[in-house]
Amino acid sequence: MNQVNITDAAFAQVKDIITNDSDLAGVSLRVFVQGGGCSGMEYGFTFDTEINDDDFTFEQQGVKVLIDSMSMTYLAGATINYIEDLQGSRFSIDNPQAQSTCGCGSSFNPY
């Protein structure tokens, strides 16, 4: 399964960020997984102007979200959302592959 669900709220927030910062014109949101964090693997978000050959591309509302093939291995079936609550505003990932997560939700253990 190579599907990631990206909520309307996440796409809307990326669009809002890009629209309000002229330096970000034409960029895509890159979501990735890398080693680190307190649980072993860590989620990351950055803006990118390049689309690589191995990227999975999700597009909605004129906004592109990119995930490289290695990260997709860990993110398949996940939902990327943007939430605002008492802890602040942030992108979050609900990942069914995570066997355990840290308290802040930014890292996970897939094993």
Side-chain angles (χ1 to χ4, degrees):
M1 168 176 36
N2 288 332
Q3 183 60 36
V4 169
N5 301 304
I6 304 170
T7 66
D8 290 341
F11 274 115
Q13 182 61 25
V14 174
K15 184 174 185 174
D16 188 51
I17 291 169
I18 291 170
T19 301
N20 291 314
D21 188 336
S22 60
D23 291 337
L24 296 177
V27 301
S28 302
L29 178 67
R30 180 170 295 282
V31 181
F32 59 93
V33 174
Q34 64 186 6
C38 52
S39 294
M41 300 297 283
E42 184 175 41
Y43 300 116
F45 300 89
T46 189
F47 288 105
D48 200 341
T49 57
E50 293 185 31
I51 299 175
N52 301 317
D53 290 339
D54 72 333
D55 284 340
F56 291 83
T57 305
F58 303 88
E59 188 168 359
Q60 185 176 314
Q61 301 177 25
V63 173
K64 288 182 183 174
V65 175
L66 310 172
I67 302 173
D68 65 270
S69 60
M70 189 282 298
S71 296
M72 183 60 84
T73 302
Y74 296 102
L75 292 171
T79 298
I80 300 170
N81 194 11
Y82 181 78
I83 55 175
E84 295 179 1
D85 59 17
L86 294 175
Q87 296 176 344
S89 56
R90 65 198 173 282
F91 289 97
S92 70
I93 297 179
D94 179 18
N95 188 347
Q97 294 191 58
Q99 298 299 312
S100 62
T101 61
C102 66
C104 68
S106 65
S107 68
F108 68 102
N109 182 347
Y111 308 108

